[in-house]
Amino acid sequence: MTRTASRGPAARSGRHRWMPAEQRLDDIARRIVATVEGIGFDSARALAADAANGSAPLAWLQWHLQERPDALTSGASDVPLVVLRLIKVLRAAGHESVTPIRCLACRQPKAKLELHVEGGRLCVRCAAHFKAEACSRCAAVAPVYGRDGPAAVCGPCWHHDPSHWEPCGHCGQLAQVRARNSDGSAVGRCCFPSPLCAYCSKRRATTVTGGDGSLCERCRQRREGTCDSCDTVGPVVTTSRPALCPSCYRARRQGCCASCRRRRPVSNCHALGGKALCRQCWPRPHGDCARCGNHRQLQVNWPIGPVCGACYADVRRHPEPCAACDQRLPLIGVDIDGNGICSGCCGVAFDYTCRRCQLPGYMIVEGICERCNVTDLARRHLARADGTIPAIFDPFLDALAATPSPASTLKWLGAGRPAATLLRQLAASPDQVSHDLLDTLPQDLTLHRLRRSLMHVGVLEQRVDYLDRISPWLESVLADQSPVTAHLVRTYAHWSVLRRARHRSRRRPFTAGSASWAHAKLRGAVALLNWIDAQGSTLQRLDQGALDRWITAGTPSAANAAREFVQWARQRNLTGEVAIPIHHPQASLVPISEDERWHHLKRCLKDTTLPIQVRLAGSLILVYGIPVSRITTLRADQIRTLDRRTTIQLGAHRLVVAPAIAGLLHHHQEESAAVCLLDRSTPKGPEWLFPGGFPGRPAVAALYRQLRQHGIPHIRRARSAALITLAADLPAPVLADLLDIHITTAVQWSRHAQNDWAADLAARSAAAAGDTGDA
């Protein structure tokens, strides 16, 4: 037998629909009358309403009687709780034809059926036997009191083991621990003064005097009786009025926390004026944290001392190898050498492992770690109406289960978040998940991140994402344009902009900058056509004078973006002999000085306080003049080491880097980690040398931002200084091959560095001729 989880009638039966409570009661009463002998319709209706006492139990009751008409006479225990209550009230009303519920194992009618397993419910005695295991010491099958490693130990063997005894706080004798004093010291069996409880016949450390004699605190609060809410016979909490079973007592304590505004079990805090607070918001003492040293609200008292909430979560989320047992667990103590050790090696019984995956982590719900909660949350979003999950999402769920940042993923998939809504839309769609389906949804950042994640784990086929985003974006731009403008721009986009972009993507990566320039050209074409329409003219009647007026009235960047559209229209005889001149910026970027360049280079090579990615990227810029957009597209397989020489593949040639930069490169490869929700090694090995926030995407804007934040400004000016230095020492063809730049660009840098070898030879020839003439 295995435990089973209950599911609602709406999930089990497709015929269950919403209906008014009165109509539902009438249907239940008719079914009771057809099953129970000698009961009237009105009496059955009243007893059913008394047993249900709510709309949800009423739905459960109707569904179960509909699915199993003999539920009241079969005695089967695989029934909802509301059916148990109905059987009790029917038998209490004198209807003996109703069969009481029997235990699944012993087949005896029991007042309390504690455990729900597959096939039914078990009584208290059978449930204890179901949970029992064979003791590793006496071989008796009994409930597990403790574990010696993985081996189970029963209660008698545990208490009779001298290794678990402690010195008594009163006489100092080593004895079994029977209670604890207020200061935490043990009270041994030798000095245990508590009398026998009149109810459970056990000795307790704290007793009170009740009406039935001396009672322990547990028995005073939980006595056998009938719950005043659900009529369940069993332990009830008598300190509250009315008397409630533990389940109803916890449900009664549910409320809105006055601090976090969440619905949780709350208690009134008299120290704060009686506010109802949950356990997380309950006021805790303040003090100095033993881990970070800050004066904060203390969360827990560990062997290393009191710890604040931030350090508590950090230690739980980042387990490390224990110095004593070498297991990867949260280190909450230190040994005599100052090394961190786990709870077991500290001698405390803190279990910080997940009950499901048996891995250490930060638990947020009922002993389940964040990573398991991520999987549950994703499955809940992707489940269809019948509870099934499409098999195509299996790689995505596996990747979420192995996410390196489950806390961030939980926020991303949280209720009400855009990602959760998008996943539910994909699960509810009758079509197969594809790029075409995603293109019909709003093109926002959430969709782009999810598309990239699905491509990264193999759910969707790979595509040039920045390039393929242009068409859906263009359709959204042209939705409110005139038919003539939309037709012209769409034709121009497909036969010029996108065609050239696809050719470019085959040679080198199509980056975000390339997509931004394509967007600018299309926006420039739309702006020009809208201005022509506003002038009451057409593209065919456009002359150079009108085009010049539009250029001077706008910005140079907008006119430069529309230059290619005008050229395309003129080649196809869609307009006259008009053209937009190339915009040349008036001011050029002055390279940084050589002293400033060497100052930043020394910082990148020697300052260990800088992040390793900043040091590596800054060194490549300041020495070789490689642009940031090219650095971020470097992959791990482009780095090779042969005969103690480290090279970077740039185009068709390999660049041999200096030993100092090679050390930074290897150090960065060892310590680099993905910052995305999904690990970059899923489903294959590392790709980008500088991984970005999107799965499978490099970091571009983030690297620019980090370089500026850490004191390396004027990146373009620094790159210009490096290229001028290289162009002064190397001929243009060698420079072009070495850095994989165009030969025209290399020639321009050589001229800028005044490295014209022909002029140098002509000057030498003229000097030689002058010397000969003088002679």
Side-chain angles (χ1 to χ4, degrees), residues 67-284:
E67 294 292 322
R68 298 173 61 178
D70 61 340
L72 302 179
T73 58
S74 63
S77 60
D78 189 16
V79 296
L81 288 176
V82 64
V83 179
L84 291 176
R85 294 197 297 266
L86 179 61
I87 291 175
K88 290 178 182 178
V89 298
L90 286 173
R91 290 186 61 84
H95 300 285
E96 298 296 332
S97 60
V98 179
T99 305
I101 300 298
R102 300 178 182 274
C103 173
L104 179 65
C106 64
R107 309 303 299 171
Q108 297 296 321
K110 298 289 184 177
K112 180 182 178 183
L113 299 176
E114 180 181 71
L115 186 63
H116 190 195
V117 298
E118 183 179 358
R121 300 175 183 272
L122 300 177
C123 63
V124 177
R125 179 176 297 180
C126 295
H129 181 74
F130 176 81
K131 299 176 183 177
E133 294 182 26
C135 177
S136 60
R137 301 183 182 180
C138 65
V141 178
V144 178
Y145 186 84
R147 292 189 180 274
D148 189 3
V153 181
C154 65
C157 293
W158 182 275
H159 290 302
H160 286 85
D161 187 359
S163 63
H164 299 138
W165 295 359
E166 294 183 22
C168 178
H170 297 283
C171 65
Q173 180 181 351
L174 194 66
Q176 298 180 17
V177 178
R178 302 304 304 269
R180 295 281 180 183
N181 295 316
S182 58
D183 59 352
S185 59
V187 178
R189 185 178 182 181
C190 52
C191 299
F192 189 71
S194 302
L196 291 174
C197 174
Y199 183 70
C200 64
S201 300
K202 295 181 179 180
R203 296 183 180 272
R204 302 290 185 183
T206 303
T207 60
V208 294
T209 302
D212 299 332
S214 182
L215 303 177
C216 65
E217 182 68 17
R218 180 180 299 177
C219 293
R220 184 182 73 86
Q221 293 187 4
R222 301 182 65 175
R223 300 286 305 279
E224 287 287 340
T226 303
C227 176
D228 293 337
S229 177
C230 64
D231 294 335
T232 301
V233 178
V236 293
V237 181
T238 57
T239 54
S240 63
R241 292 294 182 269
L244 302 174
C245 66
S247 299
C248 296
Y249 180 72
R250 288 192 296 268
R252 184 69 62 90
R253 290 176 62 241
Q254 289 277 348
C256 181
C257 177
S259 177
C260 65
R261 315 306 299 176
R262 297 181 180 178
R263 186 165 183 80
R264 293 175 173 177
V266 295
S267 300
N268 295 328
C269 181
H270 300 288
L272 298 179
K275 289 183 178 180
L277 299 177
C278 64
R279 184 179 179 181
Q280 283 74 12
C281 300
W282 195 265
R284 300 184 180 91

Side-chain angles (χ1 to χ4, degrees), residues 528-589:
L528 176 59
L529 292 175
N530 287 337
W531 181 83
I532 293 175
D533 290 342
Q535 301 299 317
S537 181
T538 61
L539 184 62
Q540 290 80 4
R541 293 183 294 176
L542 180 67
D543 57 5
Q544 189 64 42
L547 185 59
D548 291 341
R549 288 196 303 272
W550 177 75
I551 295 173
T552 56
T555 58
S557 59
N560 191 42
R563 188 176 66 87
E564 184 179 317
F565 171 71
V566 173
Q567 183 180 0
W568 173 83
R570 187 182 61 191
Q571 291 174 352
R572 284 152 183 79
N573 298 323
L574 299 177
T575 186
E577 293 295 327
V578 294
I580 297 179
I582 300 177
H583 173 68
H584 296 284
Q586 296 180 356
S588 60
L589 292 175

Side-chain angles (χ1 to χ4, degrees), residues 68 84 123 140 167 190 199 237 248 292 321 432 456 463 469 473 484 487 502 593 606 622 657 691 705 751 774:
R68 298 173 61 178
L84 291 176
C123 63
C190 52
Y199 183 70
V237 181
C248 296
C292 65
Q432 189 74 8
H456 187 58
R463 72 172 193 176
R469 284 189 205 170
W473 169 84
V484 176
H487 175 71
R502 292 190 183 95
S593 64
K606 298 182 179 180
L622 293 166
V657 298
R705 189 165 51 250
R751 290 176 180 173
D774 293 340

Side-chain angles (χ1 to χ4, degrees), residues 644-700:
R644 298 183 180 180
R645 296 171 58 186
T646 302
T647 61
I648 300 178
Q649 182 77 35
L650 295 177
H653 295 79
R654 304 197 68 87
L655 173 65
V656 180
V657 298
I661 301 179
L664 294 177
L665 194 58
H666 295 310
H667 183 49
H668 173 69
Q669 284 185 300
E670 294 173 357
E671 293 191 357
S672 64
V675 295
C676 56
L677 296 176
L678 301 180
D679 193 356
R680 66 172 180 172
S681 61
T682 305
K684 50 188 177 181
E687 293 184 355
W688 302 112
L689 196 61
F690 296 89
F694 276 35
R697 184 74 58 77
V700 180

Side-chain angles (χ1 to χ4, degrees), residues 320-337:
E320 297 179 3
C322 175
C325 63
D326 203 29
Q327 297 184 23
R328 196 172 185 83
L329 294 169
L331 305 183
I332 64 173
V334 293
D335 56 10
I336 57 176
D337 298 328

Side-chain angles (χ1 to χ4, degrees), residues 697-720:
R697 184 74 58 77
V700 180
L703 191 56
Y704 274 111
R705 189 165 51 250
Q706 288 179 337
L707 287 170
R708 294 189 181 98
Q709 289 176 352
H710 291 87
I712 306 180
H714 313 301
I715 299 173
R716 292 177 60 188
R717 293 175 56 194
R719 176 173 176 262
S720 300

Side-chain angles (χ1 to χ4, degrees), residues 412-424:
W412 185 58
L413 296 175
R417 304 282 292 186
T421 305
L422 185 57
L423 287 177
R424 286 194 293 268

